[in-house]
Amino acid sequence: MNHDKICVTDAWYPSKDEGVVMPGIAAPWYALYPEGVEHGLRTGIRNAMELFQASLRSNPDAEAISYFDGTLTYKSLDDEARALAAALSQRGLVHGDRLGICLQNTPHFVIAVLAAWYLGMAVVPINPMYRVDELAFVVDDAGLAVLIVETGSGEDIAAEVLELRPHVLAFAASPDDYQRRADDRVLPSVPGPGVLPSLGREIETHRKASFARAEIQPSDVAFITYTSGTTGRAKGAVNHHAAAAYAGDTYRNWVPLVSTDRILGLAPMSGTTGLITGLVATLAAGACYVLHYRFQHGVIRDAIIEHRPTFVVAPPTLYIALLDDPLLTPEDLSSLTKTYCGGAPVPPTLVSRWRERFGGEIRTAYGLTEATGPTHLAPVGASIPVDPETGALAIGVPVPGTDARIVDTTGADVQVGELGELVIRGPQVVRGYWRNEDATEAAFVDGWLRTGDLVRMSSIGWFFLVDRIKDIIIASGWNVVPREVEDVLYQHPDVREVAVVGIPHPYRGETVRAYVSTRSDVPSVTVAELTSFVRERLAVYKCPTEIEFVTELPKSNNGKILKRRLRDDAMSSVRENPLADAQRHERN
């Protein structure tokens, strides 16, 4: 195969001497681009490892990772990665093998990624919240050769999984490594001798060992990132090095990011947001990645005050949690001048509340696991519009090199301003799912990725995400967009988080149920008051016929609200007591 030009769907990743390659369709959004941002595909770096190597060469003594009171420079990070690569090489790991990382945001995660890439291995990030069956599925589906888990409970789960899979090499990493604070607000207590070999000891004993470094091609697999499973069984998206490099480089040039930036790792690296907007963007910019194990209000507050991060991308739920922290001040967050929100629809009220309290601007971002990160970003300096018909905040405009269309159910383009499914193609879009031809054929049509998202575009190129197509509720023949109902509920001062789903109804077919968490443990607002609040703002068929107060909404490790779990719970209650449920609906 000629690796000078690698085809990623229908978009070419250009070689270094080709200049800027323009997308294949007319793009009104170019006029909204920040000054200095090219319209087409950027050339240059061809794989994600080159991003790290370039930053290592330019400033080896720069801080690469900050973890509580510990730091790793680019040189020391490279030393750790090389030692681990040598250890893995001596144990027989080779180019193309898969290495699974089931960790929170610790330095070991970054070290393991770089070590894998030194050998040409593919990295499989795994949600550390997974239980035995979930972990076993990924181990088998990805065909892991190596698995890295956390000491303690992670070892216990892994041991149960690996008992029937002795061919998988496994190590345990301690979150206490590379720092001395042992913050008991998030870090687990130090366990006794573990059941798996220590990753730290493996690194230490191979510091002087050598290994044969692999030559990485753009078509080599950088990550296999599993979807969150919010719409069914998780699927492994195959993210090639060309795609990962392009996605990280997109953030560097769009935001823009420079070597003096400090990137706050709010999103877990077990998901695409943490991998690309955290790890890969850090490597691309030669910046510092501020890690803190996992999200906890007090720890995040301390990390922001101490380490003064400048850039962050996080889902709405994490911004809401920061807004609800009464101790955070505008001065505390003054260093965060580059803030982006994505991973789920962004309520306009979240952006306005953030501006009113902290004085900063949250910019929107949109991407998918299947797109290796961002496909749309809000341009710096532009005022982000709200769709007048649905109240949805714009997700941004397509990033350089990315084609975007909105189509109807037949695949034909809709008129500007009409709703349809967003389909995209570009160098960051994956080629398909790991060992899943049926899912690949369903999601990728003629080189275009079907996103499953209901979107409209303005005449000048802003894109508005209205909702997931599968989330649309059909009540008495009327289409109800859950996002529209959620945005109205978010306007109520007592509402903290909300999720709206459709549940079966004996007369309407489906009806609208809202799950609401409030700003206090004891709700100060009643169901009747919230119902009245919505009915004053929306047509009656869109209003929830049921509202249920919950302490917390179920979320994935990436902070996404799990609507599928809410629907499943609602369906279970209907099946268990259909008569009572029907009577309750009729009273409403």
Side-chain angles (χ1 to χ4, degrees):
M1 177 181 289
N2 176 10
H3 289 296
D4 290 336
K5 233 167 42 168
I6 299 297
C7 184
V8 182
T9 66
D10 281 350
W12 293 103
Y13 192 84
S15 61
K16 295 181 180 180
D17 59 353
E18 286 183 311
V20 173
V21 178
M22 301 300 290
I25 61 176
W29 51 81
Y30 289 155
L32 296 170
Y33 270 26
E35 184 177 354
V37 174
E38 299 282 2
H39 295 170
L41 297 173
R42 289 180 57 81
T43 62
I45 295 171
R46 316 258 305 144
N47 66 66
M49 194 60 173
E50 286 186 17
L51 298 174
F52 172 66
Q53 293 295 323
S55 295
L56 174 64
R57 287 192 301 270
S58 65
N59 198 352
D61 296 325
E63 190 176 356
I65 293 177
S66 171
Y67 182 59
F68 294 96
D69 62 346
T71 60
L72 284 170
T73 65
Y74 274 85
K75 176 62 170 61
S76 58
L77 176 60
D78 187 52
D79 290 343
E80 302 298 288
R82 284 178 176 272
L84 180 54
L88 296 175
S89 178
Q90 287 188 9
R91 290 177 177 263
L93 280 303
V94 296
H95 188 288
D97 283 340
R98 273 81 64 198
L99 180 149
I101 307 175
C102 189
L103 300 172
Q104 300 282 1
N105 281 6
T106 69
H108 284 123
F109 204 121
V110 182
I111 292 166
V113 167
L114 296 175
W117 288 351
Y118 264 128
L119 300 178
M121 298 175 67
V123 173
V124 182
I126 304 171
N127 190 333
M129 296 173 65
Y130 274 1
R131 310 309 295 172
V132 171
D133 289 347
E134 295 164 310
L135 178 59
F137 169 77
V138 175
V139 169
D140 292 339
D141 191 69
L144 294 188
V146 188
L147 175 63
I148 298 173
V149 298
E150 188 176 305
T151 53
S153 60
E155 287 183 272
D156 296 337
I157 293 173
E160 188 172 344
V161 170
L162 300 180
E163 183 177 1
L164 301 177
R165 300 164 179 83
H167 61 283
V168 180
L169 182 65
F171 298 98
S174 170
D176 283 342
D177 291 349
Y178 303 107
Q179 58 85 39
R180 294 185 299 273
R181 273 187 196 150
D183 194 324
D184 61 9
R185 291 175 295 178
V186 287
L187 294 180
S189 59
V190 179
V195 297
L196 296 177
S198 164
L199 186 70
R201 189 174 302 115
E202 197 75 6
I203 291 172
E204 191 62 36
T205 56
H206 287 82
R207 290 197 181 280
K208 296 183 179 180
S210 60
F211 63 94
R213 178 177 171 182
E215 181 179 348
I216 300 176
Q217 302 296 337
S219 60
D220 286 341
V221 181
F223 303 111
I224 301 175
T225 49
Y226 278 79
T227 60
S228 60
T230 54
T231 58
R233 195 63 157 163
K235 302 181 291 290
V238 181
N239 309 103
H240 292 83
H241 267 276
Y246 198 87
D249 198 50
T250 293
Y251 271 111
R252 175 175 64 176
N253 290 283
W254 185 276
V255 174
L257 296 174
V258 295
S259 61
T260 54
D261 274 306
R262 301 176 69 81
I263 297 175
L264 181 61
L266 280 188
M269 284 183 280
S270 56
T272 305
T273 301
L275 281 176
I276 300 302
T277 66
L279 192 158
V280 181
T282 296
L283 302 182
C288 176
Y289 197 15
V290 179
L291 301 178
H292 41 76
Y293 187 70
R294 64 172 174 80
F295 187 90
Q296 197 276 344
H297 298 158
V299 173
I300 295 299
R301 183 195 316 120
D302 292 348
I304 291 173
I305 294 171
E306 179 179 4
H307 299 294
R308 308 304 292 163
T310 58
F311 171 69
V312 66
V313 179
T317 53
L318 295 189
Y319 280 105
I320 290 170
L322 293 176
L323 278 166
D324 286 345
D325 187 335
L327 299 181
L328 274 174
T329 68
E331 175 57 31
D332 292 338
L333 297 180
S334 61
S335 66
L336 277 173
T337 57
K338 306 171 182 180
T339 52
Y340 280 78
C341 186
V346 182
T349 51
L350 171 62
V351 176
S352 60
R353 285 185 60 213
W354 186 271
R355 183 188 304 117
E356 291 166 4
R357 179 167 175 195
F358 297 123
E361 289 293 331
I362 292 178
R363 313 210 69 73
T364 47
Y366 173 85
L368 304 91
T369 300
E370 293 86 348
T372 323
T375 66
H376 293 66
L377 292 170
V380 175
S383 178
I384 306 174
V386 174
D387 180 21
E389 292 193 38
T390 64
L393 189 69
I395 58 174
V397 300
V399 298
T402 303
D403 285 342
R405 296 165 47 223
I406 302 175
V407 301
D408 61 21
T409 55
T410 69
D413 289 351
V414 303
Q415 296 295 316
V416 171
E418 291 185 2
L419 284 173
E421 181 180 9
L422 175 66
V423 296
I424 53 176
R425 67 179 180 181
Q428 73 279 59
V429 175
V430 307
R431 298 175 181 179
Y433 297 110
W434 178 258
R435 296 175 175 171
N436 195 332
E437 292 184 5
D438 291 342
T440 298
E441 290 179 3
F444 300 88
V445 180
D446 296 329
W448 294 86
L449 168 63
R450 297 183 58 185
T451 66
D453 285 327
L454 191 65
V455 171
R456 78 166 85 245
M457 186 187 79
S458 73
S459 59
I460 61 173
W462 285 100
F463 283 70
F464 301 90
L465 171 60
V466 176
D467 220 317
R468 293 286 300 171
I469 291 175
K470 291 183 179 180
D471 287 343
I472 297 299
I473 303 166
I474 303 177
S476 298
W478 295 95
N479 285 356
V480 179
V481 178
R483 162 73 183 274
E484 186 177 7
V485 185
E486 290 164 357
D487 283 348
V488 168
L489 283 167
Y490 269 119
Q491 295 174 24
H492 194 283
D494 290 328
V495 171
R496 178 174 180 266
E497 290 179 341
V498 60
V500 170
V501 301
I503 60 173
H505 187 277
Y507 175 69
R508 302 183 184 97
E510 282 187 299
T511 194
V512 182
R513 176 183 286 184
Y515 293 86
V516 175
S517 69
T518 59
R519 300 191 183 284
S520 61
D521 293 336
V522 179
S524 57
V525 63
T526 66
V527 169
E529 289 170 343
L530 277 185
T531 301
S532 176
F533 182 83
V534 177
R535 289 194 174 193
E536 290 174 0
R537 292 161 175 80
L538 292 176
V540 66
Y541 70 88
K542 299 180 182 180
C543 298
T545 58
E546 295 188 9
I547 296 177
E548 182 174 330
F549 290 114
V550 295
T551 303
E552 287 289 339
L553 291 167
K555 300 182 184 72
S556 70
N557 193 46
N558 298 325
K560 293 182 180 179
I561 295 173
L562 298 175
K563 288 189 176 182
R564 185 166 71 94
R565 185 178 299 174
L566 294 172
R567 279 192 292 264
D568 289 346
D569 290 346
M571 288 294 291
S572 296
S573 67
V574 170
R575 286 192 293 266
E576 291 170 3
N577 197 352
L579 179 59
D581 191 74
Q583 290 172 341
R584 182 171 67 253
H585 283 311
E586 290 307 315
R587 286 196 300 270
N588 286 305

PDB file of all heavy atoms in Angstrom, residues 202 216 263 311 404 419 454 514:
ATOM      1  N   GLU A 202       7.355  -2.615  36.895  1.00  0.00           N
ATOM      2  CA  GLU A 202       7.742  -3.028  35.550  1.00  0.00           C
ATOM      3  C   GLU A 202       8.492  -1.911  34.834  1.00  0.00           C
ATOM      4  O   GLU A 202       9.499  -2.151  34.147  1.00  0.00           O
ATOM      5  CB  GLU A 202       6.479  -3.407  34.758  1.00  0.00           C
ATOM      6  CG  GLU A 202       6.736  -4.209  33.521  1.00  0.00           C
ATOM      7  CD  GLU A 202       7.095  -5.657  33.797  1.00  0.00           C
ATOM      8  OE1 GLU A 202       7.034  -6.097  34.971  1.00  0.00           O
ATOM      9  OE2 GLU A 202       7.442  -6.361  32.829  1.00  0.00           O
ATOM     10  N   ILE A 216       5.340   4.027  12.438  1.00  0.00           N
ATOM     11  CA  ILE A 216       3.886   4.173  12.404  1.00  0.00           C
ATOM     12  C   ILE A 216       3.449   4.820  11.090  1.00  0.00           C
ATOM     13  O   ILE A 216       3.978   5.863  10.691  1.00  0.00           O
ATOM     14  CB  ILE A 216       3.389   5.022  13.590  1.00  0.00           C
ATOM     15  CG1 ILE A 216       3.771   4.359  14.919  1.00  0.00           C
ATOM     16  CG2 ILE A 216       1.877   5.209  13.521  1.00  0.00           C
ATOM     17  CD1 ILE A 216       3.408   5.175  16.133  1.00  0.00           C
ATOM     18  N   ILE A 263      -3.856  22.526  30.051  1.00  0.00           N
ATOM     19  CA  ILE A 263      -5.126  21.907  29.671  1.00  0.00           C
ATOM     20  C   ILE A 263      -5.685  21.133  30.857  1.00  0.00           C
ATOM     21  O   ILE A 263      -5.034  20.225  31.380  1.00  0.00           O
ATOM     22  CB  ILE A 263      -4.932  20.995  28.451  1.00  0.00           C
ATOM     23  CG1 ILE A 263      -4.476  21.843  27.256  1.00  0.00           C
ATOM     24  CG2 ILE A 263      -6.210  20.227  28.128  1.00  0.00           C
ATOM     25  CD1 ILE A 263      -4.135  21.045  26.019  1.00  0.00           C
ATOM     26  N   PHE A 311      -7.310  26.073  29.342  1.00  0.00           N
ATOM     27  CA  PHE A 311      -8.186  25.476  28.321  1.00  0.00           C
ATOM     28  C   PHE A 311      -8.872  24.250  28.890  1.00  0.00           C
ATOM     29  O   PHE A 311      -8.263  23.461  29.614  1.00  0.00           O
ATOM     30  CB  PHE A 311      -7.356  25.085  27.095  1.00  0.00           C
ATOM     31  CG  PHE A 311      -8.104  24.267  26.066  1.00  0.00           C
ATOM     32  CD1 PHE A 311      -9.118  24.836  25.313  1.00  0.00           C
ATOM     33  CD2 PHE A 311      -7.771  22.944  25.834  1.00  0.00           C
ATOM     34  CE1 PHE A 311      -9.801  24.079  24.356  1.00  0.00           C
ATOM     35  CE2 PHE A 311      -8.438  22.180  24.876  1.00  0.00           C
ATOM     36  CZ  PHE A 311      -9.454  22.755  24.140  1.00  0.00           C
ATOM     37  N   ALA A 404     -19.984  18.683   5.678  1.00  0.00           N
ATOM     38  CA  ALA A 404     -21.175  18.402   6.474  1.00  0.00           C
ATOM     39  C   ALA A 404     -22.417  18.670   5.635  1.00  0.00           C
ATOM     40  O   ALA A 404     -22.500  19.680   4.947  1.00  0.00           O
ATOM     41  CB  ALA A 404     -21.198  19.266   7.731  1.00  0.00           C
ATOM     42  N   LEU A 419     -35.018  20.686   9.060  1.00  0.00           N
ATOM     43  CA  LEU A 419     -34.441  19.674   9.933  1.00  0.00           C
ATOM     44  C   LEU A 419     -34.115  18.414   9.134  1.00  0.00           C
ATOM     45  O   LEU A 419     -34.806  18.052   8.194  1.00  0.00           O
ATOM     46  CB  LEU A 419     -35.415  19.314  11.054  1.00  0.00           C
ATOM     47  CG  LEU A 419     -35.548  20.311  12.200  1.00  0.00           C
ATOM     48  CD1 LEU A 419     -36.669  19.872  13.127  1.00  0.00           C
ATOM     49  CD2 LEU A 419     -34.250  20.428  12.977  1.00  0.00           C
ATOM     50  N   LEU A 454     -30.423  15.031  14.853  1.00  0.00           N
ATOM     51  CA  LEU A 454     -31.376  15.895  14.152  1.00  0.00           C
ATOM     52  C   LEU A 454     -30.853  17.326  14.210  1.00  0.00           C
ATOM     53  O   LEU A 454     -30.711  17.898  15.295  1.00  0.00           O
ATOM     54  CB  LEU A 454     -32.748  15.792  14.815  1.00  0.00           C
ATOM     55  CG  LEU A 454     -33.931  16.415  14.087  1.00  0.00           C
ATOM     56  CD1 LEU A 454     -34.196  15.683  12.774  1.00  0.00           C
ATOM     57  CD2 LEU A 454     -35.168  16.380  14.983  1.00  0.00           C
ATOM     58  N   ALA A 514     -40.395  13.700  32.418  1.00  0.00           N
ATOM     59  CA  ALA A 514     -39.192  14.473  32.745  1.00  0.00           C
ATOM     60  C   ALA A 514     -38.623  13.997  34.069  1.00  0.00           C
ATOM     61  O   ALA A 514     -39.361  13.849  35.056  1.00  0.00           O
ATOM     62  CB  ALA A 514     -39.518  15.961  32.823  1.00  0.00           C
TER      63      ALA A 514
END
